[in-house]
Amino acid sequence: MKYSYYPGCTLKNKAKDLDAYARASARALGFELEEIEDWQCCGGVYPLGSDEIATKLSSVRALNEAKEKGQDLVTLCSACHHVIKRVNDDMKNVEDIRTRANNYMELDEPYAGETNVLHFLEVLRDKVGFDKLKEKVVNPLTGKKIGAYYGCLLLRPGKILGFDNPENPTIIEDFIRAIGATPVVYPYRNECCGGYISLKEKEMAKNMCDKIVDSAEGFGAEMLITACPLCMYNLNKSTEGKIPVVYFTELLAEALGVKEEVEI
Amino acid sequence: MQRIGVFVCHCGSNIAATVDVKKVVEMAAKEPGVVHAEDYQYMCSEAGQAKIAAAIKEKNLTGIVVCSCSPRMHENTFRGAAERAGLNPYMVEIANIREHCSWIHKDVEEATKKAVILARAAIAKVNLNTPLKPGESRVTKRALVIGGGIAGIQTALDIADAGYEVDIVEKTPSIGGRMSQLDKTFPTLDCSACILTPKMVEAAAHEKITIYTYSEVEKVSGFVGDFTVDIKKKARYVDANKCTGCGVCQEKCPSKKSLSEFNRGLNTRSAIYTPFAQAIPNVPVIDTEACIKMKTGKCGICSKVCQAGAVDYEQKDEIITEKYGAIVVATGFDTIKLDNYDEYAYNQSKDVITSLELERVMNAAGPTKGHLERLSDGKHPKEMVFIQCVGSRCADNRGKSYCSKICCMYTAKHAMLIRDKYPDVNVTVFYIDVRTPGKNFDEFYRRAVEDYGVNYIKGQVGKVIPQPDGKLLVQGVDLLDNKQILKEADMVVLATAIEPNPDVRKIATMLTASIDTNNFLTESHAKLRPVESPTAGVFLSGVCQGPKDIPETVAQAGAAAVKAIGLLAKDKLLTNPCTAKADELLCNGCSTCANVCPYGAISYEEKEVNDHGIRETRRIAVVNSALCQGCGACTVACPSGAMDLQGFSNRQIIAEVDAICR
Amino acid sequence: MSIETNEEFRPKIVAFCCNWCSYAGADLAGSSRLAYPADVKIIRVPCSCRVNPMFILRAFEKGADGVILCGCHPGDCHYSTGNFYARRRMTLLFSMLDYIGVENGRTRVEWVSAAEGVKFSQTMNEFVEKIHSLGKNVRLGDLRCKN
Amino acid sequence: MQELINRAKELLESGEVARVLGWKAGDLPYNPEPAYFEKAEDLKDFVYNGFCGANLSKYMIEASKLEGKTMVCLKPCDTYSFNQLIKEHRVDREKAYIVGVGCKGKLDIEKAKKLGIKGIESVSGAEMTDDCDTLTFQTIYGEKSVAYADVMLERCHVCKGKEHQVYDEIIGESKDTKDAERFAEVEKIEAMSPEEKFAYFQSELSKCIRCNACRNVCPACSCRKCVFDSTKFDSAQKANVDSFEEKMFHVIRAFHVAGRCTDCGECSRVCPQGIPLHLFNRKFIKDINEFYGEYQAGEDTDSRAPLTNYTFEDVEPSIVTERG
Amino acid sequence: MSHVNKVDQIKEISGVNPLKCMKCGKCSASCPSFNEMDIKPHQFVSYVQNGDIESLVNSKSLWKCLSCFACVERCPRDVKPGKLIDAARQLVVREKGQTYLSPDEVPELLDPETPQQLLVSAFRRYRR
């Protein structure tokens, strides 16, 4: 099975490990991530204004490339996922945006949201299946108590992203179970880490992350996992190394026994 | 050629403000067949009807057109007026120039033009009308009440007291409904069971009432006055005639892990069970999913301990077919599922409960024996938070668009009862609005605040955050203070929206009673016929029609009973004469019409006909006008046009089409 | 004086409404003052299944520009099954009209319950707009005209 | 053919049947016409060959009213129509002795004429016992041979198969002559733009002279009195050229037989103006198959016809707009 | 630019109908930045209703909203206050050419771990 893959800017730089572990794990699980050509940055945040077109075009290009290849488009970074999935929804359901974006793009065939956008976790859940994943685990992380940190970008708005129940998600917990560890459910796992606010309002972001980390620790988490480089950055400021924050793909690679192959 | 009179109503200014009624009169007078046209302030008034009668007599009218409000409003009024003046009531047509014209258009010229066209269509139709005579059908003097809650019980008692037989069909093992689950009732704080149980007993003892519990309506056919209903009596596996209700079987049953439906799943019950101590009938049922004997064939303890020998594992479902003249729907409500509201942590914490669950917690026969305690650890709470409007007043597809109506009052009741019994417990209520219309209702709510010190905060809760120590952090807002609030609570109670019992959809379909977008049954007229369904002979009682509290439900139950009694008191009903009729010279006898008739009203006869001198025996469709309800499906199925519908004939409808497109 | 003034295109639209749901829905639209263009004229029929394709073609023949049929939602028919038959009949009829080159959208079926005044009004507004975009009905009027 | 005549004689003489419904020779070698034979000696005029396209099942409506049984010759495709008539109680199965006659495709003389064959004196190669591969015409200009399939009726190119659906006995061999897609022509039209579709049907229908040949021959159009002849819809034929049925006759006719039409193709065969009328019926058949599942009218006598049936999940009429 | 125009502009950009609001406050109850804001999320809706766009575009809140969509997700009336805040922010960055972030100040805000995503997002939100 081959998927089109949109890594996004951070995964080429600060979060190379998030990307590398995902690719190695994909190989171990028998699917391939085919990086689309000449992708451009998604912009990091979804342009909310209903009149914003230009800022959505980089996503449309990526989506259209996947469409032309007839593949689903897989993303890994939470922000890219959020932006691309929402733009795709616009292209599918908002006539005005679709028309105007297509006017800019001048494609042979207009793009109308045909591509299916999947987060890597969704591939694991819906395509591979957590049961199958469990079978492929060679190095179960038994006994590890792990708190899943979702943040906001993967979950909300729930209706458009359709990723999981936005108020009580389970996909990462199911993932944690599949790799043999024990999930720790804590109520702040879908609260915002502060996101881009941490550039200028460091204190504000820290306050938010403190609540998340305290809650997770309080419920017994020994480690936090995330899919988002920005979440990890913000959370790390709060934990100050007390409990580790790692990418879910790292644990996946470890469980599948391919972590050592990966060179960062 | 008909002699037609046209009567244009002003409806005060309702029509006259937007439609130039004089112009309509002037234009209508020019139409073929029209020999009289006039306008009047209120045609439906006695004076207006007198004008119609006078014109019929003076001008020898053979048909009339009233340009007025919807025929759904006053068709019967004008038909009555015509009949009293000696004109066949089916020679009356209505042009709806109010709902379909003056009320939706602003421009006088445009509205007038349209009113003229609507009048023309009605005139064109009445030109082709023929006098029709209603048939008669009998009335079965027995009523069916679907649902055995307080609404159903009250309706049944009222009908039975008037001397008619009534059957109650209740899906669960006992009558009593939601009210039997309540602890106390507002605004008087009587014990719910104390006022309900006597009514349950009375219904059970009433010689005119038959109660089918653990039973469901399977099939309904027929029509007003003559419904035929199949009732499925599910197997109880206990012989009601032998059981003494001693309860030993329930004590000895080794399978005790099923969640108690009556206690909203807060505790467990045995596999053989009566839902609650005062159940009527006091005859247990066996839950086949939980019963060890049913699942494995081994066990049989209940049978062994039953001295009356009432347990019968071989019992089968039974279908009872009965005829009824009237049907009352009283299927009630349930609380909505909270899966869409996980921000309130209902699925994550045992200490977040719905108000109905709190009723069980507060009730002496409930899972905590009436002690207020946390369901997670049994500890007595110190801080309780109530959240209002959970799933009500939502426009986002997660919840219900309507106000559930009863929550403000029961929350005040809960708050008051808790503060009264446990003065050490602090109670906070997050509300959007407090809605207390009703006799002594606002006073009741104010008492909760003023006499019992309940802390009402205007604002919603965003999230309930379970803490590692088991407490619940409630993150809400105080809009008057403009502050976000983080409140630590031991228990959170959600005023969960109510919705019609999910089974009502199936029942409505069987009854062909219409249902609104929220699954509430539609009443025939929102103001003037609130307890009648648009389907003749079907009446509505209680929350199945819309959210209601107990006094309103009882009042409506009585009203539905009166309407049913009014129907049952008649010996015969006049049937709708707008039925299908086959032209025997055109009929091919092909059976296509019978294939689409939902009432089985069409049969075939070998009949000798004289077709322009050719005498032959033909297979001809014959419509039983007592069974035909006049839908017209057959008329379109018929390729030769032999089948036509009286009152809505092909030529009549085509005349309307022509008039509109002229 | 004639009240027929015809400067701009004012479409003629016939709406067949079943007595139990859609006619009541139209009444509700009226009592809720939910406006829709006066071009729509309603004909009351007992059930959507009473509407013969002949009526629809007749309307077009006589100069209608659009015909819409409204009935109870499937499953909610007052006569249990009427709208199911209407649905099949109209699906086939509309498909045939499309096949012989009549513009799509001149005919429509919409299920409107007695409680859906808003939907009734919205539907009529949309339909009138659609007919405006299609313009005058020419094709159904002169199908057999010699070239 | 002789086998057929012998059997007919036998049945007539034994009194088992009171008459035989078949074809008799016309004034030309290619225009036999339906005929009753009541006496054995009359059978000398009996013919059965490739030009006997007429579907005799509709004649059985009247024959059912007569005294005694009628032996009727039905080709495989005709038996669908007969079944459909049984279903609609229009013919009496007990009154019919059905001889399923062999069929290897029926001929369209117009096609031969279009191939330039004129002055036909006799035809060979179209007998029931022939292979029906080649057809030979003796004309005043000499002998001409053509491939049988080139002069076959349109309907035979989409043959429903060689099996008789209902019969008492079978005489002669049949052949499935299907060599084209049944819905190809319909699909071609569906693919046109609305303007092209309209232009196509306008030009075809403008040829119609309302001779009613299609209606008279159609086994499904068996109404005692057609709506277009009655006052029931204010649609009776009027002198006025603008009357309703002048425009919509064919649409309504197709609608009235939708779900009942067996696609026997008689309408197109008899149209003197050569209008491909079967395209209306076949469009409905295609839609019915697509929307409500495969259905072949006349395959049985008890199934529920598509227009007198429904499911809760049926497609909405808006599908017509949505599929574009 | 008149007030009316700005109100329309905000409604247009956000696609929000403020009249749907029933003033329940669930947005403010959900907002993680509530305490940092001078005009609270629920007030955004009434400010737009009342046409006081000036106060909105000058508020601190514009720069405190995280676009975390908690208010959007939980609003029972589908009003989406977060979209209104964003629309007001758009007005500022588009029209006045104002920016909340100048490239000059960026270097001092960075540390070795800062992911690209953070810069990209902040630029997108704070600048045209």
Side-chain angles (χ1 to χ4, degrees), chain B residues 217-224 226-230 321-324 327 510-511 598-599:
Chain B
V217 172
E218 279 279 292
K219 195 177 145 211
V220 179
S221 57
F223 46 87
V224 54
D226 192 21
F227 294 104
T228 304
V229 179
D230 285 358
T321 304
E322 189 69 70
K323 282 193 163 273
Y324 300 100
I327 298 177
M510 283 192 271
L511 294 171
Y599 304 102

Side-chain angles (χ1 to χ4, degrees), chain B residues 1 28 37 39 143 206 217 267 284 312 321 325 327 331 347 387 395 448 451 460 466 474 496 499 542 597 661:
Chain B
M1 192 69 187
D39 61 286
H206 205 296
V217 172
N267 68 352
D312 172 11
T321 304
I327 298 177
T331 44
N347 289 323
I387 304 175
D451 299 351
Q460 257 297 12
V474 179
T496 310
E499 64 179 356
C597 178
C661 298

